[in-house]
Amino acid sequence: MADVSLDNVFKTFGKTEVIHGISCDIQDGEFIVILGPSGCGKSTLLRMIAGLETITKGDVSIDGTVVNRLEPADRDVAMVFQNYALYPHMTVFKNMAYGLKIRKMPKAEIKRRVEDAARILEITEFLDRKPKQLSGGQRQRVAMGRCIVREPKIFLFDEPLSNLDAKLRVQMRLEIRKLQETLKITSIYVTHDQVEAMTLGDRMIVMDNGYAAQIGTPLDVYERPATRFVAGFIGSPAMNFLTAVVSADGRQVHLHRDISLTLQNGGLPGHGGQKIIMGVRPEHFVLGQAADAMLHLDLDHVEILGSDTLAYGHLGQDKTQVTLRLPSVYHFKKNTVLHLDIPSKNLHFFNTDTGQRIEMQA
Amino acid sequence: MEKRVIFKHKLLPYILVAPQIVITLLFFIWPASQAVYQSVLQEDAFGLSRTFVGLANFAYIFTDETYLRSIYVTIIFSCSVTAIAMSVSLLLASMADRAIRGATTYKTLIIWPYAVAPAVAGVLWYFLFNPTIGIVALYLKIYGYEWNHSLNGGQAMFLVVITAAWREISYNFLFFLAGLQAIPKPFLEAASIDGASPFRRFWTITFPLLSPTTFFLIVMNVVYAFFDTFGVIHVITDGGPNYATNIMVFKVYHDGFLSLDLGGSAAQSVILMIIVISLTVVQFRYIERKVYY
């Protein structure tokens, strides 16, 4: 068990900088998820913590000790790889015992630890098998077992569920969370799956192109996304973005010449006359009355999912595409007009150039 | 499922495989059957008369001390060549696998010796170690070591082993390097996170995963040492001194073409044939299966 601290960490491959200074303090026992699209540098960041990649600039510390120059072996971390990386020529038992044997642990102790871990993960019957005789889910458990037996300071997960089918992924996701809660070992988990990030993490680091766009609790990230990128990346279907102009007094936003929204609270007084981006999550639209609704959406297409209904349509003269998600089932006809309201608290505003969040006044 | 091609013309498939069949018959089956046939004959040196003697030729060579000696010499020779060629090439390949700068140049240079014909390689090493004009022999002498492989059997063996191994290193290197590069990096990364030192990673992860390549190369190297080293022996030692480097394939040549004992030489070829066939069987039957992990 340990806390981990990243202090302005940079990574350069040749002349290309891929990680542009990330800082984060991870508490002892915390479950941190690093989330981002592929190529954003999230795996690189994890590998830097593991010691598989050198750190170009900045410090990574574990338990207060800078580990930049330590070999992976000396950092006392354990890692689950995307393809599990189980040693193909060893049995499950030997795979799990490998790290313990290297640490010259007595045979009886190795046996006890491996058997304990196998019992927790329900893989006892596979201990004598080779990895290729196991299914994907079983291999995944073995890979976790190999980490558990070591009782390391930190668990590192590199997209461990991405090779499993959807059903197994949900099941393993729960098990990983349960396991982490039982063992209370600091965990860092890389994924591109926002559901995993939302459900597993105590906090998450949302990465955008080598920058930490936002670090916060899942709910925080969902409710108050720090940048337009985060807003668009978290949430499914993705948030709708509309260009808007703030009225001179900051009390209203004009979507087009024909659509204006009145902000019910303090508004955006500092941004009068500015062009901004307004974001609305599909699930935050509310059906209203024809007479006083804020928006009138021309419906293009409807998908009924059983639990929800997804509606796709366009707004106003420039036909901005909008997606909305309504709870329960609605049998809308194509080409009808939906009258929509949006609670003011569910509006998000972002700077057009920087993409940074603009807060409304309370 | 096997995919069957249907030919409209009945003869066409036979015509298509004919070149392969003809070549096999002409250059492999016919000479081999000739050897088997001759091994049961006794023939005078001029080929004017021949008598059927049954297995007498075989009975004779197995009582012949020079033949038994040549079996022993062949075993020593092929084991040494294989051991040296394998270990050196594995070392070089694992270093090349790590090299970042100049890797291409390094690889190219190591592959060069394979392009040198065995006889030329023999001449090259012969000159290096020649007791009169060889530079290595000269330096050995300066440091007080008397080198003369035309008198000292052990030195002669050492020289032919080095020469034969030197050529084979390039071949092994290529295969080992390809084998090393085919090992997925996460295995080694997982091992290093598990705490294994580079040395330990090599022996517990890399080496076992390389076993298909290693087994293949062992067979190839033994076959090479048995059959392809004739030129090296011929140029450097001529089987001497005192039969110290008289490997089996060289003895076949010597007995058949120099001593004109055609029957005995043919019997020896048949035995070599049996050896190479069994090596091939081993390779196809066991190794392909055994190395699965």
Side-chain angles (χ1 to χ4, degrees), chain A residues 20 176 207 228 260 273 286 299 351:
Chain A
H20 317 284
I176 288 179
M207 283 189 64
R228 189 193 155 161
S260 298
V286 183
L299 209 54
N351 185 305

Side-chain angles (χ1 to χ4, degrees), chain A residues 47 50 52 72-73 77-79 81 85-90 98-99 101-103 130 132 146 150, chain B residues 185-198 200-201 203-206 208-209 292-293:
Chain A
R47 292 167 60 84
L52 298 172
V77 299
M79 181 156 163
F81 288 79
L86 300 177
Y87 312 125
H89 56 297
M90 298 182 195
Y98 185 78
K101 239 163 93 184
I102 287 167
R103 286 178 172 70
K130 295 268 176 76
K132 70 160 186 179
R146 191 165 65 179
R150 293 249 321 271
Chain B
K185 293 283 164 284
F187 291 144
L188 297 166
E189 289 174 351
S192 71
I193 287 180
D194 265 345
S197 64
R200 184 144 191 173
R201 284 203 293 273
W203 287 113
T204 55
I205 309 291
T206 309
L209 293 184
Y292 280 174
Y293 24 79

Side-chain angles (χ1 to χ4, degrees), chain B residues 119-130 136 149 159 162-164 166-167 236:
Chain B
V120 177
V123 171
L124 199 125
W125 286 86
Y126 175 78
F127 276 122
L128 282 176
F129 280 89
N130 185 296
V136 179
H149 61 258
L159 187 53
I162 293 287
T163 309
W166 176 71
R167 274 196 79 234
I236 299 182

